[in-house]
Each structure stands twice: as C-alpha cells, then as structure tokens.
Amino acid sequence: MKRTAVINTDHGAVRSVRFNHDGNYMLTCGSDKTLKLWNPTRQLLIKSYKNIHGSEILDVVASHDNSKFATAGLDRKVFLTDVSTGKVLRKIRAHDDKVNTVKFNSESTLLFSASVDGTCKVWDLRSRSYEPIQTMNEAKDNVTSLYVTDSQILTGSADACIRRYDIRLGFMYSDYLGGPISCATFTKDSQCTLAGLQGDAIRLIDNDTGKLLNEFSGHSNSEYKLECCMNSKDNYIYSGSEDSAVYIWDLITGKIISKLQHDYRVVHSISFHPTEEKLLSASLGCVYLWEIPADND
C-alpha cells in the first residue's frame, strides 16, 4: 500500500477514525471534544461538530444511509446526531463509566454501546424510552470492543474473553483467550473471529469449534488498546502498533507482508474501506490514507 494523504485533524489526539457506510467520507473524533466529517481523498474538512459531548469523544459510527452518526464519550453518554444539520437527535445517559465504542445494526434502528462498566447495552432508536431493551452484563471487566451483524453480537473484554451472542437462538458463547482483548471482529462470512490481545498476538478463531486457526505476531501492543481488522476481501490482516506502524499479515500463512510506517509512535485506530483497498489509520493528531496503486490492484 502507498500513503496518499496525511491529514492534520487539529483534534489534539484522534481517538477514532472511521469510513462512513459507503466509504466516500470519513469521520474523526478526538480529545478536543469535537467530531469532524472529511473527504479524505481531497483532504477536505466538510463540517465540524462541536458541543455534543462534554468531554473527549472516544468513538463514532455512521448510520447505514449516512444521514446520522452516533458517538461514545468519556462523559458516559451516547449521542445520535444529524449529519446535515448537526442537531442532536437523541442523548442517552448510557453507562456508569466511559463508553468505549458504539455500533448500529444494519438498518440503524438499534444502537449498541459498550463500556468500562462491563456492560453492553442495546437501544431502540424507534422508541422514546430512555431504558435499554437489553443489557449484556456477562463481562467481568471493561468491554473494549464491539461488532454487530444481523444475527450476532461480538464483544471483547479486558477479562480476556470474547463473547458471541446469537440473537436468533438466544445463546451466548464465550472463549477465554488468556489476555485482555483490545479488539474483536468477524470475518465477512461471520465464520471466524479475529481477536487482538494486549501484550500478545492477534488470533483467528473458528466460531463453530473454537479452534485456533492462525496467529499473527511481530507488532508491538503492550500499553494501548489497538484496533485490528481485515481488508475488504478477507485475505489480509491489519493492525495498529506501538512502534509507528500498521502491520499487514497474510491470512493463510500468518507472515508479515508489509509495514506501513507512520510519523508517531502509537497507531491505535484503523478503518478499512467497505469495498475498496483503502485504509485509514490514526496516530496522535493525524490521519493517514493508504491505497493500493491502480497498476498493482
């Protein structure tokens, strides 16, 4: 991959970077309590949203139609905001401690939040109720990661467990991985879970059997919560690192095939384009755009 843009966000520190649902724009949030909408290819700031949270914004996610976004904050709240007007549509006093991450379901009718308080909660955005429709409190520690599909909810926790909730069957499956989970996500077919462990390797686990399929190591992750993901074709693994790089592994061989060098030590947040071979990465106050040149595609 080739670095095609470096964007100074003026956030102070970027806490999260995300492509929107169709990948045409990106959202960033940071320690300055603001959220920003960008065209990353043109390195163009489109809109800045202020006075949503009263403290740092830790995560953001766009709705399926890109008309709204949800944010998670250090202030224990979750907000739903209209993209075009900047109007707050919903304010949820969600948790007893800071909210790490938020996700929508595929139709953006449900909002999911995960917190340091050890819970994952589900909010019905069609209802006026201030209470969650479901609370998952099986974690014994900080719920650091959250991933949602139409039929499953995946959480990762500092208690060293990944938990997979089968919505249709009403079952919960738990796997103990031996170390705090920094990030957990499904492959595109939801057959496998990719889990990044703080102080250890990234692991690929078969969801049906719980069998370890592969490990990906060589990066540095001893202090921070780093994100990992797969590319749009599910054949490469990407992860942030604490040595100024994003690491890329081959899914089958487990070998490092490339390192994307950055200007600052910790690369903590990454987002892969939903359909194209493009990656966003955040390090300190900057966001980097990486692309595969057309002649190498």
Side-chain angles (χ1 to χ4, degrees):
M1 283 188 132
K2 180 181 179 182
R3 187 166 77 182
T4 56
V6 180
I7 302 168
N8 184 351
T9 65
D10 289 324
H11 274 306
V14 179
R15 297 305 183 206
S16 180
V17 59
R18 300 285 181 256
F19 276 112
N20 71 337
H21 190 72
D22 58 18
N24 290 328
Y25 300 97
M26 78 171 185
L27 293 159
T28 60
C29 56
S31 60
D32 64 348
K33 310 176 190 178
T34 67
L35 184 137
K36 296 180 180 182
L37 175 68
W38 307 80
N39 181 320
T41 304
R42 296 173 58 191
Q43 304 179 49
L44 176 66
L45 175 62
I46 298 170
K47 192 175 181 67
S48 182
Y49 304 85
K50 300 178 181 180
N51 303 317
I52 298 175
H53 286 265
S55 57
E56 292 188 24
I57 304 175
L58 302 180
D59 194 23
V60 60
V61 62
S63 63
H64 73 292
D65 59 0
N66 299 313
S67 66
K68 300 178 282 291
F69 61 80
T71 49
L74 197 65
D75 55 8
R76 309 178 184 183
K77 297 182 179 69
V78 170
F79 286 83
L80 182 69
T81 303
D82 184 270
V83 169
S84 59
T85 65
K87 180 182 177 180
V88 174
L89 305 174
R90 189 83 174 263
K91 178 171 68 173
I92 302 171
R93 292 176 175 84
H95 290 272
D96 295 329
D97 209 324
K98 70 177 182 180
V99 187
N100 287 318
T101 183
V102 282
K103 293 288 185 291
F104 285 110
N105 68 335
S106 61
E107 297 177 346
S108 304
T109 55
L110 300 177
L111 184 62
F112 301 76
S113 60
S115 169
V116 172
D117 67 10
T119 66
C120 173
K121 297 184 179 182
V122 188
W123 311 88
D124 188 347
L125 299 179
R126 298 162 296 187
S127 167
R128 294 182 179 274
S129 173
Y130 291 99
E131 298 300 319
I133 60 172
Q134 187 172 357
T135 298
M136 288 155 279
N137 56 9
E138 290 80 8
K140 304 299 189 294
D141 205 332
N142 178 10
V143 181
T144 58
S145 184
L146 176 62
Y147 190 85
V148 177
T149 70
D150 284 339
S151 60
Q152 297 185 93
I153 303 165
L154 175 69
T155 65
S157 173
D159 67 6
C161 287
I162 53 172
R163 293 176 175 86
R164 183 165 51 92
Y165 300 85
D166 190 309
I167 299 170
R168 293 170 182 167
L169 298 177
F171 292 156
M172 189 274 287
Y173 306 90
S174 178
D175 285 300
Y176 177 76
L177 300 186
I181 310 298
S182 287
C183 183
T185 184
F186 286 142
T187 52
K188 295 291 186 296
D189 59 9
S190 298
Q191 296 300 306
C192 301
T193 295
L194 186 72
L197 278 68
Q198 188 172 336
D200 205 342
I202 298 168
R203 298 178 185 176
L204 184 68
I205 298 162
D206 184 282
N207 286 340
D208 288 336
T209 65
K211 180 181 178 182
L212 177 64
L213 300 177
N214 213 340
E215 287 190 331
F216 310 93
S217 60
H219 65 308
S220 174
N221 183 14
S222 60
E223 298 179 54
Y224 297 91
K225 185 173 84 72
L226 306 182
E227 295 177 349
C228 59
C229 67
M230 304 185 75
N231 65 332
S232 56
K233 298 177 181 178
D234 263 4
N235 55 353
Y236 296 117
I237 308 297
Y238 292 75
S239 175
S241 184
E242 294 167 7
D243 58 1
S244 308
V246 166
Y247 281 68
I248 308 174
W249 295 266
D250 183 274
L251 174 72
I252 303 301
T253 66
K255 293 182 179 179
I256 296 171
I257 60 169
S258 185
K259 289 168 61 178
L260 309 179
Q261 291 298 141
H262 292 63
D263 301 310
Y264 305 102
R265 184 172 74 90
V266 180
V267 185
H268 60 281
S269 183
I270 60 176
S271 178
F272 210 93
H273 194 281
T275 58
E276 301 175 15
E277 294 298 296
K278 297 180 180 180
L279 176 75
L280 295 170
S281 57
S283 182
L284 198 59
C286 292
V287 169
Y288 299 73
L289 174 64
W290 308 84
E291 302 180 65
I292 294 179
D295 55 355
N296 291 349
D297 199 357

